[in-house]
Amino acid sequence: MGKDLLGLEHATAEEIEGILVTAEAMKEVLGRDIKKVPTLRGKSMVCLFYEPSTRTRTSFELAGKYLSMDTVNIAVNTSSVAKGECLIDTGKTIEAMGVDVVVIRHGSAGAPHFLAQNISAAVINAGDGQHEHPTQALLDMFSILEAKGRLDNLEVAVIGDIMYSRVARSNIWGLCKMGATVKVFGPPTLIPPDIEKMGAHVCTTFDEALEGTDVINVLRIQRERQGSALFPSLREYAMLYGVNEKRLQKAKKDVLILHPGPVNRGIEISPEVMESGRAVITEQVTNGVAVRMALLYLLIQGGN
Ligand code: CP
């Protein structure tokens, strides 16, 4: 691996495979009574989140702690960012304290790349605008691998708000590299016109999205990013695009359901589907810790 993990667009299948294999070993550590190994003792990580997060930020912090790193969270609203400090100055300030890894989430696409070019610490993209969320895609792939035993020759349908989803973009890039077929489906106003250039097939009906599909990744409606009404109402969205038990009658019996969270319950996915044996939303969260432990290990040990 290189110095940073900024996205999956330019990652190789071998790099992705390496992270997923290492995550398997890290998952074993998570299953122990005492979840602590000395692997990264003396190394430090700062989580710098300009957007809200529960799963990504907490799992990075725990991943670091389980590997014996010193970890710090910067709450941007109560940091000098609130006084107008720019990203590069914040980054250089963090670096001057001897930090090895900066995990950044930012509302602007490319912010982690800019930071990575300007500091020598490793930078991990924890979500940049509508661009990429590589660690979410990695944990999604790990969860699929765990349930299905492979990624190649699987059909994965990504359903919902594709336009605003960094999760969709990282999943499409990652899964296509690993030999899966990716389909997308959602309201036409939420399907970007050039999505097929990334390797995804656009479905025009729910039935087409479900037919032959091994995995459904249900996306959250990103109301915070939508400037104007791109569908008439949430009720209509749930009716036309919500994943519910009735719709899943047409899917394979062993179809696997993923959702990155947080969930808009009853809108993009019904509570019954969330709680059915086919959904692995909670397992995804656990796997997120293992995948992030693997990444921290590979980035820091690889750099030594
Ligand atoms: N899936 C995801 O990125 O969740 P958080 O926003 O809670 O980190």
Side-chain angles (χ1 to χ4, degrees):
M1 288 193 69
K3 173 176 93 68
D4 313 294
L5 180 84
L6 300 174
L8 297 188
E9 182 180 4
H10 303 294
T12 64
E14 291 71 31
E15 282 167 341
I16 295 172
E17 175 85 26
I19 296 165
L20 299 177
V21 167
T22 311
E24 224 176 298
M26 295 301 177
K27 187 134 188 213
E28 187 273 318
V29 174
L30 284 183
R32 296 180 193 170
D33 264 359
I34 297 171
K35 304 174 197 43
K36 192 107 172 162
V37 289
T39 318
L40 297 182
R41 193 167 52 199
K43 302 291 181 183
S44 56
M45 170 177 70
V46 164
C47 292
L48 178 63
F49 276 52
Y50 289 78
E51 287 188 338
S53 169
T54 299
R55 291 150 200 79
T56 313
R57 200 184 67 180
T58 311
S59 61
F60 263 115
E61 190 174 355
L62 284 173
K65 287 183 191 302
Y66 293 157
L67 293 170
S68 300
M69 295 180 84
D70 293 306
T71 66
V72 175
N73 275 310
I74 294 185
V76 163
N77 290 345
T78 54
S79 76
S80 289
V81 172
K83 300 181 210 162
E85 187 171 62
C86 67
L87 175 59
I88 191 160
D89 287 343
T90 302
K92 284 189 180 292
T93 302
I94 293 168
E95 182 172 48
M97 297 181 203
V99 167
D100 298 287
V101 183
V102 180
V103 180
I104 178 171
R105 172 172 287 186
H106 201 285
S108 299
H113 307 66
F114 179 67
L115 186 63
Q117 283 159 14
N118 284 285
I119 63 173
S120 55
V123 175
I124 300 178
N125 180 0
D128 61 327
Q130 298 167 32
H131 181 220
E132 281 226 44
H133 191 348
T135 61
Q136 179 67 45
L138 287 165
L139 77 87
D140 291 345
M141 285 190 273
F142 185 85
S143 304
I144 296 170
L145 203 53
E146 206 171 51
K148 299 284 183 190
R150 66 181 207 283
L151 293 170
D152 58 316
N153 297 316
L154 284 181
E155 282 200 22
V156 180
V158 184
I159 295 184
D161 177 358
I162 312 293
M163 173 90 85
Y164 293 95
S165 177
R166 52 198 179 201
V167 175
R169 282 174 186 77
S170 290
N171 262 274
I172 294 168
W173 273 313
L175 284 163
C176 289
K177 279 174 210 260
M178 300 309 284
T181 300
V182 183
K183 311 189 270 192
V184 296
F185 177 65
T189 47
L190 292 176
I191 304 288
D194 56 354
I195 200 80
E196 292 205 322
K197 287 192 193 140
M198 291 175 58
H201 167 72
V202 178
C203 299
T204 51
T205 63
F206 222 121
D207 285 354
E208 190 190 351
L210 293 181
E211 199 181 332
T213 295
D214 301 289
V215 181
I216 299 173
N217 200 344
V218 188
L219 299 176
R220 179 173 70 86
I221 286 290
Q222 309 220 12
R223 282 180 281 180
E224 74 278 19
R225 294 191 202 282
Q226 294 168 6
S228 58
L230 292 167
F231 49 88
S233 68
L234 290 176
R235 195 164 158 267
E236 186 171 299
Y237 184 91
M239 223 163 64
L240 295 176
Y241 301 100
V243 175
N244 55 37
E245 286 292 353
K246 188 165 172 236
R247 275 214 167 98
L248 287 184
Q249 282 171 8
K250 293 207 173 161
K252 282 185 174 178
K253 286 213 168 351
D254 64 347
V255 70
L256 187 75
I257 312 285
L258 307 181
H259 189 302
V263 174
N264 295 303
R265 276 177 176 259
I267 299 172
E268 66 259 4
I269 187 168
S270 73
E272 294 73 31
V273 172
M274 282 178 73
E275 277 133 38
S276 74
R278 292 183 283 201
V280 288
I281 300 169
T282 310
E283 287 85 342
Q284 284 174 266
V285 176
T286 308
N287 292 338
V289 182
V291 163
R292 287 163 181 136
M293 286 170 78
L295 253 182
L296 291 170
Y297 169 75
L298 291 170
L299 283 176
I300 293 177
Q301 294 298 93
N304 283 343

